[in-house]
Amino acid sequence: MRVYALLFLAASSIVGQLGCGPSPGGGPSPGGGGSCPDPGDPGVRYVSHDPVECTLIDFACSPPEEYFGGECGCGCIGPGPQACPDPSDPGVRYVSHDPVECTLIDFACSPPEEYFGGECGCGCIDPGPQACPDPSDPGVRYVSDDIEQCHLIDFICAEGQTLFYNDCGCGCISPEPVVCPEPGTTNVVYVSHDPEECMLLDVACSPPERLFTNACGCGCIGPELPVGHAR
């Protein structure tokens, strides 16, 4: 009888070392279920309440949100209530007010804008007010003064120019006052003297010529030619 008692104690010791006893505190073990995130909590955003559908949806949570998923569904949990960006603020641009639609939209914010997303929707925030470039400045070239149209236009600025994109519109700024290439010079070839027409033209210059585009028009400038050289 004493032998059986010793064997029982030894077996109990081994089972305890293997961790087969109840979890500390008597609570459920991890993965054993739990309460569903409260959909009424402003920090909780459900993408779907269907666990099967969740396995088919490809979505990402915007930091600092964290992903959650399980029998309740799936979505994102924020660190706490967040105030919605004010749509009347000129620095705030909403792409959509629908969080679900935001997971399906592929868009990018133009620097220095920053992305925002959450239960309020998604869009871009300008870090601060910006003065509108002066359209009468010869170094400023507006592609459009309509910000909505700017979202649809794909354009690039010439080398040395800086792109601007804000509530005033979009376009390019030259780093210094523009000096128009002299059209009578042998190494200057104007494609057009109309800046508006230049935006519609696809101009390519043959090396070593370089492209110019500004308030004067657009065209190509070649290297200085030796005296007496015929072009």
Side-chain angles (χ1 to χ4, degrees), residues 2 8 10 15 22-23 41 45 55 63 76 80 87 90 93-94 98 100 102 105-106 138 156 168 185 187 210 216 228:
R2 183 178 179 183
F8 176 77
V15 169
S23 59
D41 186 332
R45 176 167 63 90
T55 62
C76 302
R93 175 168 62 89
Y94 274 85
D98 183 349
V100 177
C102 285
I105 298 174
D106 182 15
I156 59 173
C168 312
T185 307
N187 64 330
R210 59 184 177 84
C216 311

Side-chain angles (χ1 to χ4, degrees), residues 13 30 35 61 104 128 194 208-209 214:
S13 175
S35 60
C61 297
L104 306 175
D194 183 354
E209 293 179 328
N214 50 37

Side-chain angles (χ1 to χ4, degrees), residues 197-204:
E197 184 182 20
C198 286
M199 290 188 293
L200 305 175
L201 297 175
D202 184 12
V203 181

Side-chain angles (χ1 to χ4, degrees), residues 1-14:
M1 187 71 180
R2 183 178 179 183
V3 173
Y4 286 116
L6 291 173
L7 289 174
F8 176 77
L9 291 173
S12 299
S13 175
I14 293 173

